[in-house]
Amino acid sequence: MNLILLEPHELEGTRGFLSGTRAEHLRSFLHASPGSTFRVGVVDGLCGVAMVTDVSDQGVAFEASLDSVSLPPWYDLVLALPRPRSLRRIFFQSAAMGVRRIFLTGAAKVEKSYFSMHLLREEEYRPVLLEGLMQAKTTALPRVVVVPKLRALWEMLPADNGMRFIANPATSRSPVPEEAPGIPLVAIGPDGGWTDEETAAFMERGFHPITLGPRPLRTDTAAIALPAILQAQGWGN
């Protein structure tokens, strides 16, 4: 953990107490002792430094000074719902990369049974997102929106999106545009890719085709590689 994240209710003024996994991390990996410090942040809030005031078998007491704003999220993601194992990896890595919203949608090549997975429950995916935020030392919790029918997605897309990208394997590569105003939106299909009809529907709504080449990639690979390419070209920096 590069940042210990707190829920707002875990602070009383500037004081707090950690138990469980976070306290064990402080004791075992950071060797916390009275007077030592660690990076701390509040979910959807400020971050700063906390000083340990007491360490016991029950947990770690501390006093926090929150005085800085973490990096803001910078992109949105439309994702054809993958299998649970892949989705867990995407949740973690996307939160670390700086995703703002994740729209999980159906597609012709998405198994309908996936929409009954436990990982779509907030109590299941929220801890995974928080782990990603702690890895990246940020505090803005991504919002997850489940849209089983692709046709219901169009009216739910944020009005402040700038460039929109749709990913599909292709033999020819279109140049990635320079950074433009607004939050970029990346749409990534299932492992078998979007169908021609689905691709046409995205492009009718202003999505620009983007590709990593002709090789079909796993969804969890594309979901990280494509935002990384945008960041390498200056998006979100």
Side-chain angles (χ1 to χ4, degrees):
M1 298 178 188
N2 294 320
L3 177 78
I4 300 294
L5 267 182
L6 310 171
E7 300 289 353
H9 69 266
E10 292 183 301
L11 273 182
E12 294 185 7
T14 60
R15 296 184 178 184
F17 184 84
L18 291 173
S19 59
T21 303
R22 291 170 297 173
E24 181 59 29
H25 178 81
L26 289 171
R27 286 190 299 246
S28 300
F29 293 94
L30 300 185
H31 307 293
S33 61
S36 63
T37 60
F38 59 93
R39 296 288 302 174
V40 69
V42 175
V43 175
D44 287 328
L46 297 174
C47 54
V49 176
M51 184 178 70
V52 176
T53 57
D54 185 63
V55 179
S56 66
D57 291 339
Q58 287 70 45
V60 177
F62 62 90
E63 188 159 348
S65 174
L66 303 173
D67 56 7
S68 60
V69 178
S70 69
L71 289 171
W74 65 274
Y75 76 101
D76 292 329
L77 177 64
V78 170
L79 186 69
L81 185 63
R83 64 192 66 200
R85 184 177 298 179
S86 294
L87 182 58
R88 183 175 294 275
R89 288 194 288 263
I90 291 169
F91 275 151
F92 176 89
Q93 297 286 8
S94 297
M97 288 287 293
V99 75
R100 182 181 65 164
R101 291 189 182 93
I102 303 175
F103 295 89
L104 299 171
T105 188
K109 298 176 184 177
V110 169
E111 293 286 343
K112 292 182 174 58
S113 61
Y114 289 175
F115 284 95
S116 62
M117 72 173 77
H118 291 174
L119 191 54
L120 294 185
R121 301 172 184 172
E122 184 175 3
E123 64 270 22
E124 296 289 335
Y125 66 70
R126 184 184 175 94
V128 184
L129 294 175
L130 291 176
E131 286 183 25
L133 295 180
M134 289 190 283
Q135 168 66 34
K137 298 195 290 188
T138 56
T139 66
L141 185 67
R143 273 34 181 185
V144 176
V145 182
V146 180
V147 192
K149 300 290 186 181
L150 183 60
R151 63 176 177 268
L153 174 69
W154 313 125
E155 295 182 0
M156 304 180 70
L157 297 179
D160 63 347
N161 281 139
M163 286 295 300
R164 296 178 172 186
F165 300 96
I166 177 173
N168 249 341
T171 55
S172 60
R173 302 191 184 195
S174 301
V176 177
E178 296 296 325
E179 184 178 9
I183 300 288
L185 174 63
V186 179
I188 295 174
D191 285 347
W194 302 106
T195 65
D196 291 342
E197 292 78 10
E198 289 165 345
T199 299
F202 277 103
M203 296 185 68
E204 286 172 5
R205 291 163 176 84
F207 281 77
H208 178 87
I210 187 173
T211 183
L212 291 171
R215 295 178 177 85
L217 300 176
R218 291 170 58 110
T219 303
D220 52 348
T221 300
I224 305 307
L226 289 169
I229 287 174
L230 293 180
Q231 272 208 312
Q233 294 203 201
W235 296 72
N237 293 332

